PDB file of all heavy atoms in Angstrom:
ATOM      1  N   LEU A  61     -13.979  25.190  11.135  1.00 95.00           N
ATOM      2  CA  LEU A  61     -14.778  23.999  11.403  1.00 95.00           C
ATOM      3  C   LEU A  61     -16.028  24.315  12.213  1.00 95.00           C
ATOM      4  O   LEU A  61     -17.079  23.702  12.010  1.00 95.00           O
ATOM      5  CB  LEU A  61     -13.934  22.948  12.128  1.00 95.00           C
ATOM      6  CG  LEU A  61     -12.988  22.165  11.223  1.00 95.00           C
ATOM      7  CD1 LEU A  61     -11.918  21.476  12.050  1.00 95.00           C
ATOM      8  CD2 LEU A  61     -13.753  21.167  10.377  1.00 95.00           C
ATOM      9  N   LEU A  62     -15.934  25.262  13.121  1.00 93.00           N
ATOM     10  CA  LEU A  62     -17.108  25.620  13.914  1.00 93.00           C
ATOM     11  C   LEU A  62     -18.182  26.301  13.055  1.00 93.00           C
ATOM     12  O   LEU A  62     -19.375  26.153  13.327  1.00 93.00           O
ATOM     13  CB  LEU A  62     -16.715  26.495  15.100  1.00 93.00           C
ATOM     14  CG  LEU A  62     -15.967  25.747  16.206  1.00 93.00           C
ATOM     15  CD1 LEU A  62     -15.400  26.739  17.215  1.00 93.00           C
ATOM     16  CD2 LEU A  62     -16.846  24.714  16.872  1.00 93.00           C
ATOM     17  N   GLY A  63     -17.776  27.017  12.026  1.00 91.00           N
ATOM     18  CA  GLY A  63     -18.749  27.639  11.116  1.00 91.00           C
ATOM     19  C   GLY A  63     -19.617  26.604  10.426  1.00 91.00           C
ATOM     20  O   GLY A  63     -20.850  26.630  10.550  1.00 91.00           O
ATOM     21  N   PRO A  64     -19.039  25.650   9.694  1.00 91.00           N
ATOM     22  CA  PRO A  64     -19.853  24.605   9.077  1.00 91.00           C
ATOM     23  C   PRO A  64     -20.601  23.753  10.103  1.00 91.00           C
ATOM     24  O   PRO A  64     -21.689  23.269   9.821  1.00 91.00           O
ATOM     25  CB  PRO A  64     -18.850  23.767   8.292  1.00 91.00           C
ATOM     26  CG  PRO A  64     -17.792  24.745   7.944  1.00 91.00           C
ATOM     27  CD  PRO A  64     -17.678  25.640   9.165  1.00 91.00           C
ATOM     28  N   ALA A  65     -20.036  23.589  11.287  1.00 93.00           N
ATOM     29  CA  ALA A  65     -20.756  22.847  12.334  1.00 93.00           C
ATOM     30  C   ALA A  65     -22.080  23.551  12.621  1.00 93.00           C
ATOM     31  O   ALA A  65     -23.130  22.905  12.730  1.00 93.00           O
ATOM     32  CB  ALA A  65     -19.914  22.716  13.594  1.00 93.00           C
ATOM     33  N   ASN A  66     -22.032  24.870  12.732  1.00 90.00           N
ATOM     34  CA  ASN A  66     -23.263  25.634  12.960  1.00 90.00           C
ATOM     35  C   ASN A  66     -24.249  25.439  11.815  1.00 90.00           C
ATOM     36  O   ASN A  66     -25.434  25.204  12.042  1.00 90.00           O
ATOM     37  CB  ASN A  66     -22.950  27.123  13.118  1.00 90.00           C
ATOM     38  CG  ASN A  66     -22.221  27.438  14.394  1.00 90.00           C
ATOM     39  OD1 ASN A  66     -22.309  26.715  15.374  1.00 90.00           O
ATOM     40  ND2 ASN A  66     -21.494  28.536  14.384  1.00 90.00           N
ATOM     41  N   PHE A  67     -23.771  25.535  10.576  1.00 92.00           N
ATOM     42  CA  PHE A  67     -24.649  25.380   9.416  1.00 92.00           C
ATOM     43  C   PHE A  67     -25.226  23.967   9.322  1.00 92.00           C
ATOM     44  O   PHE A  67     -26.409  23.792   9.032  1.00 92.00           O
ATOM     45  CB  PHE A  67     -23.924  25.737   8.119  1.00 92.00           C
ATOM     46  CG  PHE A  67     -23.652  27.198   7.972  1.00 92.00           C
ATOM     47  CD1 PHE A  67     -22.359  27.661   7.886  1.00 92.00           C
ATOM     48  CD2 PHE A  67     -24.686  28.118   7.942  1.00 92.00           C
ATOM     49  CE1 PHE A  67     -22.089  29.019   7.768  1.00 92.00           C
ATOM     50  CE2 PHE A  67     -24.437  29.479   7.820  1.00 92.00           C
ATOM     51  CZ  PHE A  67     -23.130  29.923   7.728  1.00 92.00           C
ATOM     52  N   VAL A  68     -24.403  22.960   9.559  1.00 93.00           N
ATOM     53  CA  VAL A  68     -24.878  21.578   9.483  1.00 93.00           C
ATOM     54  C   VAL A  68     -25.916  21.318  10.581  1.00 93.00           C
ATOM     55  O   VAL A  68     -26.930  20.657  10.339  1.00 93.00           O
ATOM     56  CB  VAL A  68     -23.690  20.585   9.556  1.00 93.00           C
ATOM     57  CG1 VAL A  68     -24.173  19.160   9.753  1.00 93.00           C
ATOM     58  CG2 VAL A  68     -22.856  20.688   8.278  1.00 93.00           C
ATOM     59  N   LEU A  69     -25.678  21.850  11.763  1.00 92.00           N
ATOM     60  CA  LEU A  69     -26.675  21.713  12.836  1.00 92.00           C
ATOM     61  C   LEU A  69     -27.978  22.418  12.469  1.00 92.00           C
ATOM     62  O   LEU A  69     -29.065  21.875  12.693  1.00 92.00           O
ATOM     63  CB  LEU A  69     -26.126  22.247  14.152  1.00 92.00           C
ATOM     64  CG  LEU A  69     -25.152  21.325  14.870  1.00 92.00           C
ATOM     65  CD1 LEU A  69     -24.388  22.079  15.958  1.00 92.00           C
ATOM     66  CD2 LEU A  69     -25.877  20.117  15.450  1.00 92.00           C
ATOM     67  N   LEU A  70     -27.877  23.607  11.912  1.00 90.00           N
ATOM     68  CA  LEU A  70     -29.086  24.317  11.491  1.00 90.00           C
ATOM     69  C   LEU A  70     -29.837  23.533  10.418  1.00 90.00           C
ATOM     70  O   LEU A  70     -31.067  23.431  10.455  1.00 90.00           O
ATOM     71  CB  LEU A  70     -28.747  25.718  10.993  1.00 90.00           C
ATOM     72  CG  LEU A  70     -28.281  26.703  12.060  1.00 90.00           C
ATOM     73  CD1 LEU A  70     -27.809  28.000  11.419  1.00 90.00           C
ATOM     74  CD2 LEU A  70     -29.371  26.965  13.074  1.00 90.00           C
ATOM     75  N   GLU A  71     -29.109  22.970   9.463  1.00 90.00           N
ATOM     76  CA  GLU A  71     -29.741  22.147   8.432  1.00 90.00           C
ATOM     77  C   GLU A  71     -30.435  20.939   9.059  1.00 90.00           C
ATOM     78  O   GLU A  71     -31.539  20.571   8.673  1.00 90.00           O
ATOM     79  CB  GLU A  71     -28.699  21.679   7.413  1.00 90.00           C
ATOM     80  CG  GLU A  71     -28.177  22.778   6.525  1.00 90.00           C
ATOM     81  CD  GLU A  71     -26.957  22.361   5.703  1.00 90.00           C
ATOM     82  OE1 GLU A  71     -26.481  21.210   5.853  1.00 90.00           O
ATOM     83  OE2 GLU A  71     -26.486  23.196   4.931  1.00 90.00           O
ATOM     84  N   HIS A  72     -29.770  20.342  10.035  1.00 90.00           N
ATOM     85  CA  HIS A  72     -30.350  19.190  10.736  1.00 90.00           C
ATOM     86  C   HIS A  72     -31.655  19.586  11.424  1.00 90.00           C
ATOM     87  O   HIS A  72     -32.658  18.882  11.316  1.00 90.00           O
ATOM     88  CB  HIS A  72     -29.345  18.648  11.752  1.00 90.00           C
ATOM     89  CG  HIS A  72     -29.921  17.645  12.697  1.00 90.00           C
ATOM     90  ND1 HIS A  72     -30.237  16.361  12.309  1.00 90.00           N
ATOM     91  CD2 HIS A  72     -30.257  17.742  14.007  1.00 90.00           C
ATOM     92  CE1 HIS A  72     -30.739  15.707  13.344  1.00 90.00           C
ATOM     93  NE2 HIS A  72     -30.758  16.522  14.386  1.00 90.00           N
ATOM     94  N   TYR A  73     -31.641  20.701  12.141  1.00 85.00           N
ATOM     95  CA  TYR A  73     -32.850  21.160  12.831  1.00 85.00           C
ATOM     96  C   TYR A  73     -33.981  21.452  11.848  1.00 85.00           C
ATOM     97  O   TYR A  73     -35.140  21.155  12.110  1.00 85.00           O
ATOM     98  CB  TYR A  73     -32.569  22.410  13.662  1.00 85.00           C
ATOM     99  CG  TYR A  73     -31.740  22.158  14.898  1.00 85.00           C
ATOM    100  CD1 TYR A  73     -30.626  22.943  15.165  1.00 85.00           C
ATOM    101  CD2 TYR A  73     -32.054  21.158  15.803  1.00 85.00           C
ATOM    102  CE1 TYR A  73     -29.861  22.735  16.299  1.00 85.00           C
ATOM    103  CE2 TYR A  73     -31.294  20.933  16.938  1.00 85.00           C
ATOM    104  CZ  TYR A  73     -30.202  21.721  17.187  1.00 85.00           C
ATOM    105  OH  TYR A  73     -29.453  21.509  18.305  1.00 85.00           O
ATOM    106  N   LYS A  74     -33.640  22.037  10.716  1.00 84.00           N
ATOM    107  CA  LYS A  74     -34.661  22.368   9.724  1.00 84.00           C
ATOM    108  C   LYS A  74     -35.286  21.119   9.103  1.00 84.00           C
ATOM    109  O   LYS A  74     -36.444  21.124   8.713  1.00 84.00           O
ATOM    110  CB  LYS A  74     -34.069  23.256   8.624  1.00 84.00           C
ATOM    111  CG  LYS A  74     -33.773  24.661   9.105  1.00 84.00           C
ATOM    112  CD  LYS A  74     -33.122  25.477   8.008  1.00 84.00           C
ATOM    113  CE  LYS A  74     -32.768  26.863   8.489  1.00 84.00           C
ATOM    114  NZ  LYS A  74     -32.105  27.659   7.449  1.00 84.00           N
ATOM    115  N   LYS A  75     -34.518  20.042   9.010  1.00 84.00           N
ATOM    116  CA  LYS A  75     -35.016  18.805   8.408  1.00 84.00           C
ATOM    117  C   LYS A  75     -35.931  18.020   9.347  1.00 84.00           C
ATOM    118  O   LYS A  75     -36.723  17.207   8.888  1.00 84.00           O
ATOM    119  CB  LYS A  75     -33.850  17.910   7.996  1.00 84.00           C
ATOM    120  CG  LYS A  75     -33.109  18.418   6.788  1.00 84.00           C
ATOM    121  CD  LYS A  75     -31.954  17.503   6.458  1.00 84.00           C
ATOM    122  CE  LYS A  75     -31.131  18.071   5.320  1.00 84.00           C
ATOM    123  NZ  LYS A  75     -29.946  17.257   5.045  1.00 84.00           N
ATOM    124  N   ARG A  76     -35.784  18.251  10.628  1.00 78.00           N
ATOM    125  CA  ARG A  76     -36.616  17.514  11.589  1.00 78.00           C
ATOM    126  C   ARG A  76     -38.069  17.924  11.408  1.00 78.00           C
ATOM    127  O   ARG A  76     -38.404  19.100  11.452  1.00 78.00           O
ATOM    128  CB  ARG A  76     -36.158  17.787  13.018  1.00 78.00           C
ATOM    129  CG  ARG A  76     -34.839  17.149  13.301  1.00 78.00           C
ATOM    130  CD  ARG A  76     -34.282  17.366  14.662  1.00 78.00           C
ATOM    131  NE  ARG A  76     -35.175  17.886  15.683  1.00 78.00           N
ATOM    132  CZ  ARG A  76     -34.771  18.190  16.897  1.00 78.00           C
ATOM    133  NH1 ARG A  76     -33.517  18.043  17.233  1.00 78.00           N
ATOM    134  NH2 ARG A  76     -35.618  18.661  17.789  1.00 78.00           N
ATOM    135  N   LYS A  77     -38.917  16.951  11.226  1.00 63.00           N
ATOM    136  CA  LYS A  77     -40.341  17.236  10.989  1.00 63.00           C
ATOM    137  C   LYS A  77     -41.098  17.190  12.309  1.00 63.00           C
ATOM    138  O   LYS A  77     -40.876  16.326  13.129  1.00 63.00           O
ATOM    139  CB  LYS A  77     -40.927  16.236  10.010  1.00 63.00           C
ATOM    140  CG  LYS A  77     -40.301  16.366   8.645  1.00 63.00           C
ATOM    141  CD  LYS A  77     -40.940  15.453   7.656  1.00 63.00           C
ATOM    142  CE  LYS A  77     -40.135  15.595   6.386  1.00 63.00           C
ATOM    143  NZ  LYS A  77     -40.839  15.425   5.220  1.00 63.00           N
ATOM    144  N   GLY A  78     -42.000  18.141  12.456  1.00 55.00           N
ATOM    145  CA  GLY A  78     -42.837  18.161  13.635  1.00 55.00           C
ATOM    146  C   GLY A  78     -42.197  18.792  14.851  1.00 55.00           C
ATOM    147  O   GLY A  78     -42.859  19.057  15.835  1.00 55.00           O
ATOM    148  N   ASP A  79     -40.917  19.001  14.807  1.00 59.00           N
ATOM    149  CA  ASP A  79     -40.227  19.633  15.929  1.00 59.00           C
ATOM    150  C   ASP A  79     -40.090  21.112  15.644  1.00 59.00           C
ATOM    151  O   ASP A  79     -39.756  21.513  14.536  1.00 59.00           O
ATOM    152  CB  ASP A  79     -38.822  19.041  16.122  1.00 59.00           C
ATOM    153  CG  ASP A  79     -38.869  17.597  16.584  1.00 59.00           C
ATOM    154  OD1 ASP A  79     -39.910  17.173  17.120  1.00 59.00           O
ATOM    155  OD2 ASP A  79     -37.863  16.900  16.411  1.00 59.00           O
ATOM    156  N   HIS A  80     -40.329  21.904  16.638  1.00 62.00           N
ATOM    157  CA  HIS A  80     -40.179  23.347  16.505  1.00 62.00           C
ATOM    158  C   HIS A  80     -38.966  23.770  17.307  1.00 62.00           C
ATOM    159  O   HIS A  80     -38.914  23.584  18.513  1.00 62.00           O
ATOM    160  CB  HIS A  80     -41.432  24.072  16.992  1.00 62.00           C
ATOM    161  CG  HIS A  80     -42.639  23.698  16.202  1.00 62.00           C
ATOM    162  ND1 HIS A  80     -42.847  24.147  14.923  1.00 62.00           N
ATOM    163  CD2 HIS A  80     -43.678  22.889  16.486  1.00 62.00           C
ATOM    164  CE1 HIS A  80     -43.973  23.641  14.457  1.00 62.00           C
ATOM    165  NE2 HIS A  80     -44.496  22.871  15.385  1.00 62.00           N
TER     166      HIS A  80
END
Side-chain angles (χ1 to χ4, degrees):
L61 282 163
L62 288 170
N66 291 335
F67 289 118
V68 169
L69 283 165
L70 290 173
E71 289 169 358
H72 169 73
Y73 288 130
K74 289 177 182 179
K75 288 179 185 176
R76 290 179 14 184
K77 295 184 185 211
D79 292 339
H80 299 286

